[in-house]
Amino acid sequence: MRTIDVSEITKAVKGLCIDANYTLSPDMKDAICKAEQNEESELGRKIFSQLQENLKIAKEENIPICQDTGMAVFFVNIGQDVHLEGGDATDAINEGVRQGYIDGYLRKSVVKDPLIRENTGDNTPAVIHYNIVPGENVEITIAPKGFGSENMSKIYMLKPADGINGVKDAIVAAVKEAGPNACPPMVVGVGIGGTFEKCAIMAKEALTRKVGEYSDIQYVKEMEEEVLDRINKTGIGPGGLGGSITALAVNINTYPTHIAGLPVAVNICCHVNRHRSVVV
Ligand code: SF4
């Protein structure tokens, strides 16, 4: 049994909030760089070049990549041989968000009540998904989520008879409907199976997978490649201004489901697909 003081979690979360908002992970940077070389439209290539310039400026000047610094979403894997002491773990994560968003000068985008809509002033509370895993570490992944793309995400409760083609069509339909509103080039996270809420969480977690890494299930990998190809043939293009690269990746996660259902969630992310992990 390992004991971890929750103040270490607060410190780690503060750093994650700032890092994830100031710099994209290497997989995303590489994907944007490659896309500039492969984009067929001249205007599209110019947009990819501007996106890279924006990343450079954000890094050099320690400013956020985008003004929408997102709602702070976390996936936290807690080792079952860890004893957390010094306070409540959820409070510790929210304290890290508070410090990170205030000290990092990140936009505060969270309202306390979804209808009364008063800003909480410190970007809390975060949305936190906990998993219990073997081991004596705590792995924290942050994925700050902008809502231009979040608002274009979809859940489909398909019928089993809709099959694999129905799933592929649903993903492409969600992307087409999102169009320029999702700030393309997009990364498309997909969850297939489970229940209504499980597929949505899987779709969100799929966005934290590195761009360029595929599912290790062969037929799912083939689906990721085929659907990406279909999305790129829509011609939406970078910035929604036309082109051959609308998405940088389609990442699909699957889970067993009920005999009577085929839930599919499509969580769309923009080109600012932020994700960072740390092990405490
Ligand atoms: S959707 Fe993404 S790129 Fe567009 S404003 Fe929000 S965070 Fe920024």
Side-chain angles (χ1 to χ4, degrees):
M1 181 69 72
R2 181 175 160 229
T3 297
I4 299 175
D5 194 285
V6 293
S7 61
E8 286 188 50
I9 290 180
T10 297
K11 199 170 146 206
V13 165
K14 177 184 178 182
L16 283 174
C17 292
I18 294 173
D19 285 355
N21 275 294
Y22 286 7
T23 54
L24 279 188
S25 49
D27 58 303
M28 278 299 298
K29 279 193 268 187
D30 288 353
I32 292 172
C33 180
K34 271 191 208 137
E36 188 193 0
Q37 291 150 25
N38 296 332
E39 172 57 57
E40 288 167 14
S41 138
E42 195 185 330
L43 178 57
R45 284 195 298 277
K46 201 175 270 180
I47 291 167
F48 278 117
S49 159
Q50 286 172 345
L51 293 181
Q52 289 175 87
E53 178 69 9
N54 180 58
L55 292 179
K56 193 167 161 267
I57 294 169
K59 189 175 178 204
E60 284 171 4
E61 300 193 11
N62 284 335
I63 53 174
I65 304 158
C66 182
Q67 43 79 33
D68 181 354
T69 51
M71 191 157 189
V73 177
F74 291 91
F75 291 92
V76 183
N77 292 333
I78 301 185
Q80 64 188 23
D81 296 325
V82 170
H83 169 237
L84 295 172
E85 70 170 18
D88 180 287
T90 299
D91 288 348
I93 291 172
N94 280 318
E95 180 56 29
V97 171
R98 184 174 294 116
Q99 292 180 12
Y101 274 74
I102 291 174
D103 294 355
Y105 300 100
L106 306 174
R107 194 182 81 182
K108 323 301 182 286
S109 307
V110 175
V111 293
K112 188 171 178 190
D113 181 287
L115 295 177
I116 296 170
R117 305 198 74 80
E118 190 186 326
N119 198 302
T120 61
D122 57 12
N123 222 54
T124 66
V127 173
I128 310 169
H129 306 287
Y130 292 104
N131 291 306
I132 303 294
V133 298
E136 49 179 28
N137 292 320
V138 176
E139 185 188 15
I140 308 169
T141 297
I142 187 173
K145 190 66 173 69
F147 263 52
S149 52
E150 189 75 351
N151 284 340
M152 305 316 293
S153 301
K154 293 262 186 273
I155 288 193
Y156 303 91
M157 298 306 285
L158 298 183
K159 296 177 185 65
D162 291 321
I164 192 164
N165 288 332
V167 173
K168 290 176 192 168
D169 290 348
I171 303 168
V172 176
V175 169
K176 277 188 182 165
E177 196 176 322
N181 294 335
C183 299
M186 312 171 199
V187 176
V188 184
V190 180
I192 307 173
T195 50
F196 183 82
E197 82 288 2
K198 175 71 180 174
C199 72
I201 295 169
M202 282 194 292
K204 176 75 71 199
E205 194 163 19
L207 290 172
T208 66
R209 194 203 302 165
K210 281 184 185 152
V211 169
E213 273 183 12
Y214 294 90
S215 168
D216 49 19
I217 304 168
Q218 186 56 27
Y219 90 88
V220 178
K221 175 180 186 282
E222 286 164 13
M223 230 173 131
E224 290 172 338
E225 291 170 331
E226 184 192 326
V227 173
L228 178 61
D229 190 49
R230 279 181 62 183
I231 288 170
N232 284 335
K233 286 194 173 118
T234 60
I236 296 166
L241 296 169
S244 57
I245 299 179
T246 298
L248 301 170
V250 175
N251 293 346
I252 302 177
N253 287 344
T254 61
Y255 194 77
T257 192
H258 190 280
I259 51 170
L262 179 52
V264 179
V266 184
N267 194 200
I268 296 181
C269 194
C270 55
H271 59 274
V272 189
N273 181 29
R274 297 160 283 209
H275 48 88
R276 274 292 193 295
S277 297
V278 73
V279 175
V280 176

